[in-house]
Amino acid sequence: MTSSRPRTAKGARGDLFDPACPTRRLLDRIGTKWTSMAVKVLAEASPHEVRFAELRRRMPGVSQKMLSATLQSLTRDGLVSRRVEPTVPPRVHYRLTDLGLSLEGALATVRAWAEEHMAEIDRANLAHTDG
Amino acid sequence: MTSSRPRTAKGARGDLFDPACPTRRLLDRIGTKWTSMAVKVLAEASPHEVRFAELRRRMPGVSQKMLSATLQSLTRDGLVSRRVEPTVPPRVHYRLTDLGLSLEGALATVRAWAEEHMAEIDRANLAHTDG
DNA sequence: CCGAATCCCATGAGATACTG
DNA sequence: CAGTATCTCATGGGATTCGG
């Protein structure tokens, strides 16, 4: 989930581009398979919390392992807050933080572009396939 | 570069889940390591064309293999146009299409968010590491 | 100069089984 | 219920080399 650090990270000085480019690092995060969907589902529920199982139900296809990993990553990044009810069995509730909500704004833009334009990309691919 | 299709499509019907979610598919594209940078560099040059070698120079760290693959992918997707001067040696020029330019708009939003907020994410991570 | 072909490793992610 | 631990495999992507 973490890095794709340049193993070739020699002593080179990178202006704005190189090692810690914020955009690359953000894309590494939202590019992982379930992250954007989790953010979306949590955003739709916001400001209410959502439990693990409920989240899982709303994300068809996700395994508990990947959901767990995704939520941990989001939590470490401060995008999601986690609240545990110390019952037996425990209940764990998740909610977007303000930072997470703000990210959802950016993601909404991406989603809008995708829904508007992916069909054109598909057409372009067909044109190259059969031509 | 192409698909992240259900490789686990074992004996079971694995493609029952939204195999075509436009957002996922877009993220699979812009999430690859060099795509967003290529789009950015081409956008900055737009409406002028940029040659392969020049592109490579403006994308520190990219290998010719990955640049080639990235540009092919973008070209197939109709985001970039490719023009070959039939000289010896050949010169190949790349330019964003209108679709590519429109994608750059969405990417600009992501970039803006990243530059504004990645520091907060870093702080959150530190807080979890030591804090 | 541009790109194809190989080789190779690190990683994302699914399946499955176990724990408090 | 929520999360962890293994195993396994496919893929992204870097290095290098060859071709036109």
Side-chain angles (χ1 to χ4, degrees):
Chain A
M1 209 71 160
T2 33
S3 61
S4 58
R5 225 69 320 270
R7 4 56 157 58
T8 319
K10 296 263 127 174
R13 71 280 165 257
D15 322 74
L16 333 112
F17 275 102
D18 277 86
C21 165
T23 303
R24 247 285 30 88
R25 289 177 40 236
L26 175 60
L27 286 171
D28 282 345
R29 285 167 162 79
I30 65 181
T32 60
K33 187 159 182 184
W34 299 104
T35 299
S36 59
M37 195 189 293
V39 170
K40 186 188 184 192
V41 168
L42 287 168
E44 286 167 351
S46 186
H48 297 296
E49 298 177 314
V50 186
R51 289 185 54 187
F52 187 91
E54 176 61 19
L55 220 45
R56 204 180 160 187
R57 239 169 289 126
R58 298 192 196 179
M59 295 170 60
V62 74
S63 66
Q64 85 289 55
K65 174 195 162 183
M66 287 316 297
L67 180 53
S68 185
T70 301
L71 290 168
Q72 278 180 34
S73 191
L74 287 168
T75 303
R76 274 197 313 276
D77 284 346
L79 296 161
V80 160
S81 68
R82 183 179 189 272
R83 183 172 70 82
V84 183
E85 266 186 273
T87 57
V88 180
R91 299 165 169 211
V92 187
H93 306 257
Y94 294 92
R95 190 167 61 76
L96 282 188
T97 62
D98 288 347
L99 188 59
L101 271 173
S102 119
L103 175 59
E104 162 62 13
L107 278 175
T109 303
V110 172
R111 246 179 255 125
W113 194 94
E115 274 154 26
E116 193 173 353
H117 294 290
M118 278 308 290
E120 298 177 54
I121 287 187
D122 290 336
R123 261 181 274 121
N125 274 285
L126 283 177
H128 283 264
T129 295
D130 44 49
Chain B
M1 210 68 157
T2 33
S3 60
S4 60
R5 259 346 51 210
R7 59 317 206 83
T8 318
K10 287 271 160 185
R13 63 290 175 170
D15 44 59
L16 289 175
F17 301 119
D18 62 10
C21 165
T23 303
R24 249 280 34 86
R25 290 178 39 237
L26 176 59
L27 287 171
D28 283 345
R29 286 167 162 79
I30 65 182
T32 60
K33 186 162 182 183
W34 300 104
T35 299
S36 58
M37 196 189 291
V39 169
K40 185 187 184 193
V41 169
L42 287 168
E44 285 168 352
S46 187
H48 298 296
E49 297 177 314
V50 186
R51 289 186 53 189
F52 187 91
E54 176 61 20
L55 220 47
R56 203 181 161 185
R57 238 170 290 125
R58 298 193 195 178
M59 295 169 60
V62 74
S63 66
Q64 86 290 51
K65 174 195 162 181
M66 287 317 295
L67 180 54
S68 185
T70 302
L71 290 169
Q72 278 180 35
S73 191
L74 287 168
T75 302
R76 274 198 314 276
D77 284 346
L79 296 161
V80 161
S81 69
R82 183 179 188 270
R83 183 172 69 84
V84 182
E85 266 187 275
T87 59
V88 180
R91 300 165 169 210
V92 187
H93 305 260
Y94 295 91
R95 189 167 63 72
L96 280 190
T97 62
D98 289 347
L99 188 58
L101 273 173
S102 119
L103 176 59
E104 162 62 12
L107 278 176
T109 303
V110 172
R111 246 179 255 122
W113 194 94
E115 274 154 26
E116 192 173 351
H117 296 290
M118 278 309 290
E120 298 177 55
I121 287 186
D122 290 337
R123 260 181 274 121
N125 274 284
L126 284 178
H128 283 264
T129 294
D130 45 48

